Amino acid sequence: MSGGDDGDAGVVPKGRHGGAEKITTTDVNGRMLKVHDKWKEEEHLWPAAIVLSRYLTNQDSLPTKGSCVVDVGAGCGLVSLALAAFWDSSCRVVATDCSKEALKNIRRNAIENQVGQRLQVEEWDWYAPALPQWAKEVDLIVGSDMVFGNLSRTSAYFHLSKWIAEIMSPCSDCGHSRAEKKAPIAIFLLQVRGDYEESSVKAFVDDLQRRNLEVAELSFRAEDAEGVPAETLQCLKLFGVAAPREHAERIDVGKPPSGCVGDGDWQQLDPELFEQWRDMNEA
């Protein structure tokens, strides 16, 4: 049973907005992971994290040896915990968030799930003036439900899309520092709240495409979504993001848009997004 309460944990009356803290246990492909779950955005266990955790730990096409994966907007850290628990010990798993309270909670969750030595926890604010060191080494960027809320042209997710473009561009300072190492790919599972056409999710995806990155909508397995309400599943969208196979030098790493974010008509993209990952792994 996924996302269930741990019967021995009880509920601790704590939380910033009148919420409470509890321990939630989730079955991730046969491994039971427990997180301290709080009813506030940055520390709550959202359905997208459960589905993405299962999806990523059941992908034979993703390399699990010697790679670096970074979880952006990690929240309570379930996705990072799952990667640290399942992937090869040679992997580097980095959980990032801008909330110091969330980072503290992720560290606690990592220790209690016995992956404290496997998981690196770092503060990263998307408004920061420069990229962190891991940007030069990352192979896979993941995120669950880190783009949400009302559409706004000044929202943080436009800064995130800018940084993703800079990491993937071969012509940026970050790209130059990667030398012969291929650009990473990104996988995001996002929950649309309300009308997709007016959502922050669409605005984020449009801005990635405006920057000449390839975006493809992917599919997860029914097993990945076990225990998640059907009405929530209908709102989840899984995206893969990558540098274009040709003319990657055209990736736009400019500042976040100050005016219109663009309409961004959907492109018909090659669904075999992971081919370049396999190529990288075989090189």
Side-chain angles (χ1 to χ4, degrees):
M1 198 61 189
S2 69
D5 295 345
D6 186 90
D8 298 328
V11 176
V12 180
K14 185 179 180 181
R16 189 170 56 189
H17 301 299
E21 176 183 309
K22 62 181 179 179
I23 293 181
T24 300
T25 303
T26 302
D27 183 345
V28 179
N29 292 323
R31 177 153 180 171
M32 306 305 290
L33 297 176
K34 298 181 179 181
V35 297
H36 290 261
D37 180 7
K38 302 180 182 180
W39 188 250
K40 51 182 180 178
E41 291 171 353
E42 64 270 28
E43 296 179 67
H44 185 59
L45 177 57
W46 299 99
I50 297 173
V51 178
L52 186 61
S53 297
R54 295 170 177 163
Y55 174 85
L56 291 172
T57 54
N58 194 53
Q59 288 293 313
D60 294 336
S61 59
L62 295 177
T64 60
K65 292 186 178 180
S67 56
C68 175
V69 56
V70 176
D71 185 2
V72 296
C76 68
L78 180 67
V79 173
S80 299
L81 297 174
L83 292 172
F86 276 85
W87 281 22
D88 189 85
S89 59
S90 64
C91 287
R92 178 185 175 195
V93 182
V94 185
T96 70
D97 206 287
C98 65
S99 165
K100 289 181 171 58
E101 287 298 314
L103 296 174
K104 181 179 178 181
N105 193 32
I106 293 171
R107 292 187 182 99
R108 175 172 58 168
N109 290 333
I111 292 171
E112 295 184 6
N113 284 278
Q114 300 181 332
V115 294
Q117 298 300 316
R118 293 272 293 110
L119 183 60
Q120 181 177 339
V121 182
E122 290 189 12
E123 182 177 357
W124 184 40
D125 190 327
W126 302 340
Y127 289 104
L131 283 165
Q133 180 63 30
W134 55 253
K136 302 174 183 179
E137 305 159 2
V138 63
D139 299 299
L140 173 64
I141 302 168
V142 300
S144 63
D145 210 11
M146 74 292 176
V147 173
F148 55 86
N150 296 328
L151 179 62
S152 170
R153 305 195 189 285
T154 60
S155 292
Y157 48 78
F158 287 130
H159 292 264
L160 176 60
S161 56
K162 187 263 186 191
W163 288 130
I164 292 170
E166 186 159 333
I167 291 171
M168 293 186 177
S169 171
C171 301
S172 66
D173 291 341
C174 183
H176 288 149
S177 67
R178 295 176 69 87
E180 299 302 317
K181 190 177 178 69
K182 291 190 176 181
I185 63 171
I187 300 175
F188 301 127
L189 184 58
L190 307 175
Q191 182 173 341
V192 179
R193 295 167 172 85
D195 181 6
Y196 176 71
E197 293 300 316
E198 300 297 327
S199 69
S200 54
V201 172
K202 182 178 187 296
F204 175 65
V205 170
D206 283 353
D207 196 52
L208 291 170
Q209 291 182 314
R210 181 186 68 83
R211 294 180 178 280
N212 297 317
L213 293 170
E214 290 191 351
V215 182
E217 190 165 352
L218 309 175
S219 299
F220 48 82
R221 308 171 307 156
E223 301 95 302
D224 298 333
E226 182 181 354
V228 177
E231 58 270 24
T232 301
L233 288 179
Q234 296 175 357
C235 302
L236 296 180
K237 286 183 175 289
L238 181 65
F239 297 101
V241 184
R245 297 176 184 273
E246 298 181 355
H247 304 300
E249 72 278 359
R250 296 179 183 174
I251 294 175
D252 181 358
V253 299
K255 294 180 179 180
S258 56
C260 181
V261 299
D263 295 330
D265 291 336
W266 276 94
Q267 307 169 35
Q268 296 299 315
L269 299 172
D270 183 353
E272 298 297 326
L273 181 69
F274 297 121
E275 282 187 4
Q276 60 177 276
W277 187 286
R278 294 192 188 99
D279 293 343
M280 177 188 70
N281 198 36
E282 294 170 358

